[in-house]
Amino acid sequence: MSDDLASAYSEMNLFEVIGVTRVFGRGRIFSKKRHGTQALDGINLHVRLNESLGLVGESGSGKTTLGRILVNLDQPSSGQVNFRGSNINELSGVEKKRFHHQVQMIFQNPFASLNPYRSVLDILESGFKSLGDVNQKEMREKIIELLDKVGMHRDSLARFPHQFSGGQRQRIVIARALSVSPKVLIADEPVSALDVSIQAQVLNLLNDLKASLGLTIVFITHDLRVANFFCDRIAVMYKGRIVELGQTRDVIENAAHPYTRMLMDAAPSGDPNRKSKRIIDEESTENLVGLGAMSAGCNFADRCWLRKQVSDSSRCYTESPQPRLVNGTNLVECHFGEEVALEFAVITGEKA
């Protein structure tokens, strides 16, 4: 690759995640788990400029761990994460401070992430002050402008977090993140703790901010419906691996991994007459949380409904599936992705 092409590629992809693994508990003297718990297993991913990328999966799938590594709140056990072409774990002090201004995280619980003893003014001032010398009058004007962007009135400045609703607190959290003029937001389940009606308001707000400020958003969620509404691309995660990745429409309409189908089947529908397909394997007793990847075979095999329908299901236990394009759209880790997509197309009446 030429220097010009490499530079253009780096600008197009803000983040490049290369072979990232994360193991918790390994090497601790008093740990009973000699080999630790593997939260991430060889993640390869890029995050494009100005896109909204969804990380979707159940609790324990590794999506929050990946989000924390992206924002440099945690470090990988192996592999690396590049931001604009530079390894974020090798940044100098000045570079690291600049990185933390450019990449901000929004957490799931807005009340827990706000200091209950500080007013909204104090909370937002800290962000502006971290950028350097700021004129007090100009800073207050910018804070009022920022509150207006997130749908809050200037009267909120003297109030404290406990005086706001959950949706209002999440707007304050978003405003705090925006106070340092970031390029990227890592949003970890930002609406899961909110009422459904408030969820829609916060999602619409994030969409508007993304468009007006040119933000890139990595959106972590367990809810495929939310990802379908908000995200340009979706990465479906299971046991620390990305098992399906593609444009949102392709993933939703042409799901090619059994786990993606399972998540879609489990999602509630707005149609009261819709009958669940119940593709979940009721015979499985596997516990998802805390398990690492299998040493051989597909780590979804024990829960997979498809293995009972294919003649060569032994591959599921002896051969690890490698990421590959299925039907030219979705990057899928499944030996039988074409069969999944075909069956899904028959059920939904769509073309695979």
Side-chain angles (χ1 to χ4, degrees), residues 209-220:
L209 292 171
K210 175 179 177 291
S212 62
L213 301 177
L215 295 172
T216 298
I217 299 179
V218 177
F219 195 93
I220 299 169

Side-chain angles (χ1 to χ4, degrees), residues 78-336:
S78 63
Q80 71 181 60
V81 177
N82 295 334
F83 180 72
R84 295 190 182 276
S86 298
N87 187 335
I88 64 174
N89 289 316
E90 296 179 353
L91 299 176
S92 67
V94 174
E95 292 170 335
K96 187 169 290 187
K97 183 177 181 180
R98 188 181 303 120
F99 169 81
H100 284 303
H101 283 155
Q102 293 187 70
V103 183
Q104 287 283 301
M105 193 162 194
I106 298 171
F107 296 95
Q108 179 177 0
N109 187 336
F111 189 75
S113 59
L114 293 172
N115 188 330
Y117 301 105
R118 301 184 68 187
S119 69
V120 172
L121 179 61
D122 291 337
I123 290 169
L124 297 183
E125 275 186 344
S126 61
F128 284 98
K129 288 178 179 177
S130 71
L131 295 173
D133 293 333
V134 184
N135 178 280
Q136 194 70 26
K137 182 180 178 181
E138 290 180 358
M139 181 172 62
R140 189 175 179 95
E141 290 175 353
K142 288 180 179 179
I143 288 174
I144 292 172
E145 181 182 339
L146 186 54
L147 282 176
D148 183 61
K149 282 183 180 178
V150 299
M152 299 285 289
H153 195 270
R154 67 176 65 191
D155 291 346
S156 306
L157 289 175
R159 297 164 64 188
F160 291 82
H162 72 274
Q163 296 176 290
F164 297 95
S165 67
Q168 290 173 322
R169 287 197 289 264
Q170 196 61 290
R171 290 172 186 269
I172 295 168
V173 170
I174 294 170
R176 181 181 61 183
L178 295 178
S179 65
V180 293
S181 301
K183 300 297 181 185
V184 184
L185 293 180
I186 311 294
D188 186 8
E189 299 273 13
V191 298
S192 63
L194 307 177
D195 293 339
V196 174
S197 60
I198 306 302
Q199 286 183 9
Q201 294 176 20
V202 174
L203 288 172
N204 285 326
L205 170 64
L206 286 171
N207 245 337
D208 292 342
L209 292 171
K210 175 179 177 291
S212 62
L213 301 177
L215 295 172
T216 298
I217 299 179
V218 177
F219 195 93
I220 299 169
T221 180
H222 65 277
D223 194 335
L224 264 174
R225 297 172 306 157
V226 172
N228 183 32
F229 170 80
F230 186 79
C231 299
D232 302 314
R233 286 193 303 148
I234 291 176
V236 180
M237 295 189 66
Y238 181 76
K239 280 190 184 177
R241 295 190 65 83
I242 294 175
V243 296
E244 183 157 11
L245 172 65
Q247 297 295 319
T248 297
R249 181 173 180 178
D250 292 327
V251 172
I252 297 298
E253 296 184 1
N254 300 306
H257 193 283
Y259 179 62
T260 308
R261 285 277 317 277
M262 189 171 143
L263 288 178
M264 295 178 69
D265 184 58
S269 170
D271 182 2
N273 298 316
R274 175 183 176 270
K275 293 182 179 180
S276 171
K277 297 181 283 298
R278 298 305 302 166
I279 63 173
I280 298 175
D281 187 351
E282 300 293 351
E283 296 180 10
S284 172
T285 58
E286 181 194 36
N287 177 19
L288 170 67
V289 180
L291 291 180
M294 295 170 60
S295 58
C298 174
N299 62 5
F300 185 63
D302 284 342
R303 299 179 80 192
C304 185
W305 49 270
L306 184 65
R307 73 184 191 281
K308 297 180 179 180
Q309 302 176 20
V310 295
S311 57
D312 190 20
S313 62
S314 61
R315 293 180 64 195
C316 300
Y317 292 96
T318 60
E319 183 182 340
S320 297
Q322 298 303 307
R324 60 191 180 86
L325 278 177
V326 173
N327 297 328
T329 56
N330 300 4
L331 196 64
V332 180
E333 281 194 359
C334 178
H335 297 304
F336 306 101

